[in-house]
Amino acid sequence: MNIRDLGRVSIRWKLTLLIVTISTVSLLLASVAFITSDRINTQQTASNNLATMAEIIAANSSAALLFGDARAAQETLGFLKAQQHIQAAAIYGTDNTVFASYRKPGIAIKFPESNIQTENTLFWGNHVELFTLINYEGEQIGIVYLRSNMKAIHDRLVWFLGIVAAVLLVSVLVTFMLSTRLQRIITDPLLRLSAIARQVRTEKNYSLRVIGENEDELGNLIIDFNAMLDEIQSRDDELSEHRAMLEERVMQRTSELEIANSKLAASKEQAEAVAKRMEYHAHHDALTGLPNRILLNDRITAELAHARRQQGKLALLFLDLDRFKIINDSLGHAVGDQLLRVIARRLGNCVREEDTVARLGGDEFMVLLPRISSSSDAGRIARKIIDCLVNPISCNGHELHITTSVGISIFPHDGVDAETLIKHADISMYRAKELGRNKAIYFTAEMNAGSRKQLALENSLRLAAGKNQLKLFYQPKIDIFRNTIVGVEALLRWEHPTMGMISPMEFIPVAEDSGLIIPIGEWVLNTAFTQLKQWHQAGYASLSMAVNISSAQLSRPGLEDVIEKALQAADLDARMTELEITENVAMENLEPAIAILEKLKHMGVSIAMDDFGTGYSSLSYLRQLPVDVVKIDQSFVREIPDSHEDVLIAQAIIAMTQSLNLSVVVEGIENVKQLNFFRQQGCNIVQGFLFSKPVEADEMLKMLAAQSAPGTVNLVK
Ligand code: C2E
Ligand code: MG
Ligand code: MG
């Protein structure tokens, strides 16, 4: 084992080794010292004994020497026989001759012959020689020589060595036992310390402590070690506390994030649903779900491009239901709507998948037949359509027989662009009606003289104003929280002498196309404002008037002057008036529209976004337009609260108007469920058949009077 190996040995063994080594070495040194001193003493004693013996011999043999009596001298030496250790003895004369001698039997040695006349003691390896002078009266007469073996001394040495070895053995054993016992005083605390340190390290348990009450260095070490553990434990506790706090915070944040994420996902879902629905509304007819004019135009454009590339053909079928208006007027809108839905479904079923059936509005439909191989295909499909409407339709207990007139135009024969093709299909549809309805007629060049309907309508509309056939009806706007009529919307009506009451939906487009909308619009503004002034004078001074403005009016310069004049003529405060525009109207010419609306707003007129949600991209444009009020379109109101999607859309619109600080008017409230829903959403201004249909001015006055007479009417049911 070398020193490096020693490093690996436990302290207990090191200490044992140290103590045993020290005690053995000291014992050995002590033994050597003792044996050495004993040997010196023994040698001294042996030499003294020899000297005494020699002096006795010298004293007893001096006479024999003087008288030359060798025999007497020999006798003197005789007593040496009893001395076991004497090997030889001799008495010399002064001439160095042996006078008498003695040899122990069995021992053959030579007596020394030189250097013998002086007193001397010589120690050799295994014997000792002594020379003592024999004097007589102060004069040397001879010398005694004694030789003794060292056996006694050796025996003693051997005995001592035996003792030393035994003592050494015992002492090593005892030392070993004692040291193993005693060194525990040191190693036990150290082992405890090390065991605890290891346990702390592996288990990270800082509550462990080393037991030890000694006040020595080890005791202090244990105290310091425990103090260090105290410190670590308190830090560990602090750390754990911090970690727990941190974990709690992380968990809290995580759950907050999760909630926020799910909210985000929900609102994203909502926004996506809204966007999808908006997109759908922009391109589909709300009543039947069929593509609307915008989507149809897109598809016609795309198919025309394809047909041009392929040098193919396509057909447009223009459908108008025969006598639908009569059914609608007599049986009511609900039946009319239901009928339209069934017809839309039937139309969808009798065309090919690649064909598009669109509703243009009212009872007008259009079918796009792309990729037809010949014109006769279009006629065949038109016939099929007519046939599939032949079966009666049952609505609300009525068996309704409905027929349709179909006009057909073919690309490229009847036109090369969408507008011409639609116009020609429309014209041929009127031709079909003229020819007795329930027919499909191809467009012919002769028909191009002009659309009779259009012309007829336009002509009679031109005269209508002069003949007092145009009328304004008024529909109240109700504040459901205050339970009062806060304003009215002016809605135009045309009382045709033969065609009956024509809806603005039908004749306003004609008026717009022909430019008649400008004088008619002015007439509406003047009439509505004058009427409002009268109501103000009648005591309803807080009443406001909303007038619908068409795109042709907005895009023509000078609208603000017209309005200003109308306000002046009626002597009306602009703040009591509101103009309703639709998204598409504003979007067709965004920049100038914004400029005009800004001017009007500056005058004090408030601007309402009508039919909100049905246009192209409502949400983004609303931010750009200087609008005060948003009118939620009735198509979103109709299915509320049953349609989850419509509920989401309505909520999104309301939230958005709140964020933009705009007022909301809900159109088309027809039942209490719808009313309650919007009441819960915090919408206070509503409009709809639930309260009143559009009515004539005197009827309106009655309603105003009724609500101001306490207890007579309850507008909010
Ligand atoms: P609008 O401005 O959105 O007017 C609301 C339309 O919804 C009116 O149809 C009204 O009678 C109808 N309505 C009101 N409450 C309900 C209800 O609870 N349920 C249902 N199903 N319908 C309800 P109207 O009078 O046929 O007018 C149609 C559209 O014609 C108007 O829509 C407006 O865009 C346009 N219009 C009407 N008068 C004028 C006008 O003087 N000038 C211009 N440029 N357009 C006008
Ligand atoms: Mg309106
Ligand atoms: Mg509207």
Side-chain angles (χ1 to χ4, degrees):
M1 185 188 283
N2 57 30
I3 294 292
R4 201 179 297 164
D5 293 335
L6 216 57
R8 282 189 232 122
V9 174
S10 69
I11 289 185
R12 179 173 285 191
W13 281 109
K14 274 183 207 149
L15 280 175
T16 307
L17 200 69
L18 194 73
I19 293 166
V20 170
T21 309
I22 289 170
S23 68
T24 309
V25 167
S26 31
L27 213 63
L28 272 174
L29 286 175
S31 303
V32 167
F34 176 73
I35 288 169
T36 310
S37 103
D38 183 73
R39 190 174 172 98
I40 291 166
N41 280 341
T42 315
Q43 279 183 354
Q44 194 62 49
T45 311
S47 115
N48 286 348
N49 283 346
L50 277 183
T52 310
M53 243 183 260
E55 270 164 23
I56 293 168
I57 292 168
N60 291 336
S61 62
S62 56
L65 262 177
L66 279 176
F67 296 105
D69 188 355
R71 212 167 139 252
Q74 196 67 41
E75 276 173 13
T76 307
L77 292 177
F79 82 99
L80 291 174
K81 284 178 196 152
Q83 302 299 319
Q84 281 300 314
H85 57 97
I86 301 295
Q87 293 176 318
I91 297 169
Y92 288 84
T94 48
D95 54 353
N96 286 351
T97 55
V98 176
F99 181 64
S101 67
Y102 163 77
R103 276 192 188 88
K104 200 174 173 181
I107 292 200
I109 51 160
K110 261 179 92 184
F111 289 105
E113 288 169 358
S114 57
N115 294 332
I116 51 174
Q117 289 306 325
T118 49
E119 276 193 336
N120 204 359
T121 308
L122 298 171
F123 286 93
W124 302 97
N126 55 355
H127 66 276
V128 59
E129 290 176 325
L130 183 92
F131 296 90
T132 301
L133 298 179
I134 306 167
N135 293 322
Y136 182 74
E137 293 181 349
E139 200 176 315
Q140 183 183 352
I141 55 168
I143 197 154
V144 178
Y145 165 73
L146 280 179
R147 173 180 166 142
S148 166
N149 67 18
M150 299 277 276
K151 188 173 178 294
I153 296 171
H154 278 292
D155 287 350
R156 192 178 167 88
L157 185 65
V158 169
W159 187 78
F160 266 124
L161 283 176
I163 295 282
V164 164
V167 166
L168 212 61
L169 195 69
V170 170
S171 87
V172 165
L173 272 173
V174 170
T175 310
F176 180 76
M177 274 155 58
L178 277 179
S179 79
T180 46
R181 217 155 242 292
L182 287 176
Q183 48 80 31
R184 279 198 186 152
I185 297 167
I186 297 167
T187 54
D188 275 5
L190 275 179
L191 287 176
R192 282 203 304 278
L193 199 67
S194 128
I196 294 289
R198 192 168 305 123
Q199 207 176 339
V200 166
R201 182 166 63 83
T202 52
E203 293 174 13
K204 307 273 182 265
N205 179 359
Y206 304 110
S207 62
L208 296 169
R209 293 293 177 271
V210 185
I211 300 161
E213 284 134 21
N214 293 357
E215 286 175 4
D216 54 8
E217 291 91 329
L218 280 173
N220 289 340
L221 182 63
I222 287 172
I223 290 167
D224 290 346
F225 183 78
N226 285 343
M228 189 180 75
L229 283 179
D230 286 346
E231 182 72 13
I232 292 175
Q233 190 182 12
S234 80
R235 296 225 180 141
D236 188 57
D237 288 349
E238 264 174 45
L239 215 67
S240 309
E241 220 171 279
H242 279 291
R243 196 189 301 139
M245 255 164 59
L246 220 65
E247 274 170 9
E248 200 181 319
R249 258 195 229 162
V250 167
M251 268 165 65
Q252 206 180 327
R253 294 294 295 163
T254 312
S255 68
E256 277 173 14
L257 275 175
E258 275 167 5
I259 293 169
N261 266 345
S262 59
K263 274 192 190 160
L264 204 72
S267 63
K268 203 175 147 206
E269 194 187 312
Q270 193 172 339
E272 277 169 4
V274 170
K276 229 166 105 185
R277 186 65 202 255
M278 295 259 180
E279 162 82 10
Y280 183 83
H281 272 279
H283 292 103
H284 291 85
D285 168 47
L287 180 70
T288 59
L290 290 176
N292 63 10
R293 193 186 286 271
I294 297 166
L295 182 54
L296 176 73
N297 275 337
D298 287 352
R299 297 215 178 141
I300 294 175
T301 312
E303 289 302 339
L304 276 176
H306 183 264
R308 268 186 221 112
R309 277 199 305 277
Q310 304 293 318
Q311 298 190 331
K313 282 191 167 77
L314 67 75
L316 282 184
L317 310 186
F318 201 116
L319 277 73
D320 191 288
L321 304 181
D322 302 324
R323 281 185 272 273
F324 173 76
K325 200 167 172 348
I326 298 167
I327 294 170
N328 207 31
D329 290 347
S330 54
L331 300 178
H333 287 285
V335 173
D337 287 355
Q338 204 180 334
L339 186 64
L340 287 171
R341 282 196 205 103
V342 176
I343 287 169
R345 232 181 0 256
R346 286 197 184 175
L347 290 176
N349 288 339
C350 68
V351 295
R352 302 168 303 174
E353 203 160 299
E354 66 261 39
D355 301 335
T356 300
V357 178
R359 181 172 174 235
L360 304 183
D363 56 354
E364 288 180 342
F365 295 87
M366 185 162 272
V367 183
L368 164 66
L369 305 172
R371 296 158 220 205
I372 51 165
S373 46
S374 70
S375 308
S376 58
D377 284 355
R380 208 166 24 79
I381 295 171
R383 193 68 250 159
K384 198 174 157 195
I385 287 172
I386 289 170
D387 290 347
C388 78
L389 294 185
V390 164
N391 288 340
I393 297 167
S394 52
C395 279
N396 281 10
H398 305 280
E399 283 277 288
L400 302 173
H401 292 267
I402 195 97
T403 58
T404 183
S405 301
V406 184
I408 307 168
S409 66
I410 310 282
F411 169 86
H413 187 262
D414 303 329
V416 290
D417 59 88
E419 205 185 334
T420 316
L421 284 165
I422 294 171
K423 198 170 89 189
H424 289 171
D426 189 10
I427 291 169
S428 28
M429 184 273 293
Y430 271 93
R431 185 78 187 126
K433 285 215 190 272
E434 279 171 4
L435 292 174
R437 306 169 196 263
N438 201 19
K439 285 187 170 42
I441 299 288
Y442 283 98
F443 176 76
T444 59
E446 299 83 63
M447 292 179 193
N448 219 0
S451 157
R452 283 173 191 226
K453 180 197 174 191
Q454 190 91 358
L455 267 180
L457 262 184
E458 200 181 307
N459 286 335
S460 44
L461 190 59
R462 212 174 284 280
L463 304 169
K467 289 183 180 172
N468 269 345
Q469 288 173 4
L470 293 182
K471 264 204 173 135
L472 279 187
F473 275 48
Y474 301 94
Q475 190 179 29
K477 285 194 228 170
I478 319 291
D479 183 331
I480 49 173
F481 293 142
R482 288 178 22 228
N483 213 12
T484 52
I485 299 172
V486 288
V488 293
E489 179 179 4
L491 292 159
L492 191 55
R493 298 285 179 268
W494 180 8
E495 276 185 312
H496 195 276
T498 51
M499 292 163 81
M501 192 73 86
I502 304 179
S503 154
M505 307 278 268
E506 248 180 276
F507 70 86
I508 294 262
V510 177
E512 283 182 329
D513 282 354
S514 58
L516 279 170
I517 191 70
I518 303 299
I520 291 176
E522 266 185 60
W523 177 85
V524 170
L525 281 165
N526 282 313
T527 314
F529 288 177
T530 313
Q531 182 59 66
L532 182 65
K533 184 70 189 179
Q534 282 174 18
W535 284 330
H536 281 184
Q537 284 166 345
Y540 308 104
S542 60
L543 203 67
S544 67
M545 173 68 74
V547 177
N548 292 284
I549 296 288
S550 82
S551 63
Q553 283 171 283
L554 199 66
S555 54
R556 200 177 138 109
L559 177 66
E560 62 273 24
D561 298 334
V562 172
I563 288 167
E564 186 138 41
K565 269 190 209 146
L567 286 168
Q568 274 169 10
D571 186 23
L572 208 60
D573 184 346
R575 284 170 300 177
M576 304 313 288
T577 62
E578 188 167 272
L579 297 183
E580 295 190 5
I581 54 156
T582 62
E583 287 169 273
N584 299 350
V585 167
M587 268 189 61
E588 276 162 22
N589 234 337
L590 191 64
E591 296 301 321
I594 292 176
I596 292 175
L597 294 177
E598 292 281 12
K599 277 188 203 158
L600 290 171
K601 212 173 155 178
H602 193 67
M603 281 162 58
V605 179
S606 98
I607 310 293
M609 178 64 76
D610 204 355
D611 304 342
F612 185 74
T614 56
Y616 298 109
S617 52
S618 345
L619 303 179
S620 53
Y621 277 89
L622 196 60
R623 285 177 221 280
Q624 297 186 36
L625 292 167
V627 167
D628 308 282
V629 181
V630 164
K631 294 187 82 177
I632 299 180
D633 189 63
Q634 46 179 283
S635 60
F636 299 113
V637 178
R638 195 175 295 133
E639 310 270 320
I640 276 178
D642 302 328
S643 158
H644 176 62
E645 217 175 39
D646 286 353
V647 165
L648 287 181
I649 292 177
Q651 283 172 340
I653 294 174
I654 292 163
M656 187 203 56
T657 54
Q658 279 167 357
S659 77
L660 293 174
N661 237 347
L662 303 175
S663 321
V664 173
V665 174
V666 186
E667 295 187 294
I669 296 279
E670 291 182 348
N671 58 49
V672 178
K673 275 205 239 167
Q674 294 165 339
L675 177 69
N676 285 339
F677 171 81
F678 285 102
R679 197 206 304 271
Q680 273 164 19
Q681 300 299 315
C683 301
N684 56 334
I685 313 288
V686 300
Q687 206 179 333
F689 294 170
L690 179 65
F691 307 101
S692 169
K693 291 199 167 187
V695 292
E696 293 195 61
D698 45 358
E699 188 74 19
M700 189 70 227
L701 188 62
K702 278 186 205 154
M703 277 169 66
L704 288 167
Q707 71 153 357
S708 60
T712 49
V713 76
N714 189 7
L715 287 164
V716 180
K717 296 169 190 167

